[in-house]
Amino acid sequence: MTEYLRPLTCLTDSVGAAVPLRLVSAETVRSAAETLPVFARSSGFKGAAGSVCLCPAADGSVQEVLVGIGDGTDRWATAALSTSLPEGVYALSDGVAPDLAAAVALGWELGAYTFDRYKSKPTAPRARLLWPQGVDRAEVLRQAEAVMLVRDLVNTPAEDMGPAALEQAVRSVAARHGASLSVTVGDDLLTANYPVIHAVGRAAAPDRAPRLIDLHWGPEDAPKLTLVGKGVCFDTGGLDLKGAGPMRLMKKDMGGAAHALALAHLVMAAGLPVRLRMLIAAVENSVSGSSMRPGDVFRSRKGLTVEVSNTDAEGRLILCDALAEADSDAPALLLDFATLTGAARVALGPDLPALFTNDDSVAADWMAEGLAQQDPVWRMPLWAGYRSMLDSPVADLDNSPEGGMAGSITAALFLQEFVSPSTPWAHLDVYAWNPKGRAGRPAGGEALGLRSVWAMIRQRFA
Ligand code: BES
Ligand code: ZN
Ligand code: ZN
């Protein structure tokens, strides 16, 4: 079985000679410059976040590396080091708080990430970091694995990440943790009453048939945590075909599923005392003679009928069947992740996933962890006043209100119709992509709101 969780490449136990690496705040440079090598002072090192000073020994070799951390608040300040420092092994100086040391270690590994699966030339070797003292290694390891899993799944072209390949990725993570899996594929979706997932995915080639992937893990009597992911392996828009520009990035339209799977990995790897369920609706929104058409009406799993006024609003369609099932056994918390709307990106940009929830404490805790972990999400309203925009003249719901006003809100309101008011539920409309690279966060597929939701869940269920 292909292994989808990457091994870490930059964090090492190797002893031997390691170059000392010291984190230096701007305040230290201002008030205690005498504690720094003369070279740092004479070369104008100010301790600005991300700045680096290679201090030489008498023989010209690097004696010590100073890394500026500014005011100490930017967890990514050191994350470019794995690619910017000369090859070798570095050792963080003692006395760094475990939390900061863990952030340095995680950033080091995440900053070294490259998606080189299709590159003929090997990636240049990265600088390595000795595991810092006092950090929770298992936690850093699983967070790095989880983030890189999202990146790899999203970056993989749709040709190699269709519904069947996405299922294989889930299988490999499930096998690692002894989780059980059941998968309903193709026309079996009709028998099992997932009519809308079937309708969206039915136009794809037979080897890319739609499916619902259902994972279970953990003791049955533990509190139920259920995750749902939008796994649209490619979104052409269907018959309401996207233009070339908007279609270009649509290999990433399974980013929600990637987030759900990565969070499931975190939960299972940490042994969180929950009964975990993860549902991924994996489809390709394709064009063929069997495509769903604008104006078609489908009766969903829940019984509500849905008019497809735009075949490009397919995410909310597959999620309505998955959410109805997810809601049916009354989970203690239900979370869904989806690259659902262009409107969320217009409202908040690529870095701030839009959070919708019927539970104020989930919103408060997730937003607070987002700021603390530098993995922000931003709450948007489930504005009941806009519910009437989803009215259809022929069915219970319209999947794509005309005009597109408040597009991410109406999409979230659509999903809400399939969740009981009594179920604590949150929906993350996530971009899953870095348009440009920054320290620790290369351009391409990205996990957003993942470390913060993990921190929130751990608080709740540990
Ligand atoms: N996958 C897209 C949403 C998307 C587009 C996410 C670009 C990130 C970047 C989704 O299936 C879609 O096409 N949504 C439409 C909905 C509309 C037809 C109501 C959109 O947002 O334009
Ligand atoms: Zn679409
Ligand atoms: Zn989509």
Side-chain angles (χ1 to χ4, degrees), residues 39-366:
F39 180 85
R41 283 179 266 165
S42 58
S43 61
F45 176 75
K46 295 279 192 299
S51 62
V52 175
C53 180
L54 304 179
C55 301
D59 65 0
S61 63
V62 178
Q63 184 167 50
E64 185 182 21
V65 176
L66 305 184
V67 181
I69 56 167
D71 63 4
T73 56
D74 183 2
R75 295 169 64 95
W76 298 106
T78 60
L81 295 172
S82 43
T83 54
S84 66
L85 288 177
E87 200 187 338
V89 180
Y90 297 82
L92 201 56
S93 52
D94 293 341
V96 176
D99 203 39
L100 177 56
V104 171
L106 183 64
W108 195 288
E109 184 69 35
L110 294 180
Y113 174 91
T114 42
F115 184 68
D116 52 10
R117 177 170 164 183
Y118 301 92
K119 288 278 191 195
S120 306
K121 268 210 285 184
T123 305
R126 281 20 185 144
R128 286 179 298 153
L129 179 70
L130 219 50
W131 273 106
Q133 306 232 305
V135 302
D136 181 345
R137 283 194 195 194
E139 183 59 34
V140 171
L141 171 65
R142 60 183 169 249
Q143 288 193 19
E145 285 173 335
V147 171
M148 293 194 289
L149 176 65
V150 174
R151 292 176 179 176
D152 279 342
L153 293 175
V154 171
N155 285 331
T156 302
E159 174 71 5
D160 293 328
M161 189 47 64
L166 186 54
E167 176 189 330
Q168 286 313 315
V170 177
R171 285 196 185 281
S172 102
V173 174
R176 163 116 157 218
H177 301 294
S180 57
L181 208 63
S182 73
V183 183
T184 310
V185 185
D187 288 349
D188 288 351
L189 288 166
L190 294 174
T191 346
N193 192 26
Y194 293 100
V196 189
I197 297 176
H198 180 268
V200 173
R202 72 188 187 189
D207 62 339
R208 303 172 75 87
R211 62 205 69 205
L212 181 70
I213 304 163
D214 191 355
L215 174 149
H216 288 276
W217 174 90
E220 277 181 47
D221 55 355
K224 290 188 189 119
L225 169 65
T226 300
L227 313 177
V228 172
K230 169 179 172 181
V232 175
C233 294
F234 195 76
D235 184 7
T236 65
L239 291 177
D240 290 316
L241 199 64
K242 287 182 185 294
M247 204 191 295
R248 175 64 181 89
L249 273 185
M250 283 300 121
K251 69 173 182 181
K252 79 175 176 74
D253 214 19
M254 31 56 67
H259 279 71
L261 181 59
L263 183 54
H265 169 62
L266 287 167
V267 167
M268 296 187 287
L272 198 70
V274 294
R275 172 67 173 169
L276 175 70
R277 186 177 191 193
M278 182 190 68
L279 288 157
I280 287 178
V283 303
E284 183 163 320
N285 189 20
S286 231
V287 181
S288 79
S290 52
S291 291
M292 62 177 173
R293 315 153 191 89
D296 282 349
V297 175
F298 297 98
R299 185 174 295 279
S300 71
R301 179 177 189 78
K302 192 175 172 162
L304 291 170
T305 57
V306 182
E307 182 183 17
V308 180
S309 54
N310 192 315
T311 63
D312 197 11
E314 84 298 337
R316 66 197 75 182
L317 293 175
I318 61 172
L319 288 176
C320 80
D321 277 355
L323 281 172
E325 173 55 23
D327 186 62
S328 67
D329 58 2
L333 183 60
L334 171 57
L335 303 172
D336 80 72
F337 300 84
T339 51
L340 201 63
T341 66
R345 177 205 49 187
V346 172
L348 295 175
D351 298 347
L352 271 183
L355 170 64
F356 296 87
T357 175
N358 59 9
D359 186 307
D360 291 342
S361 73
V362 166
D365 295 351
W366 194 343

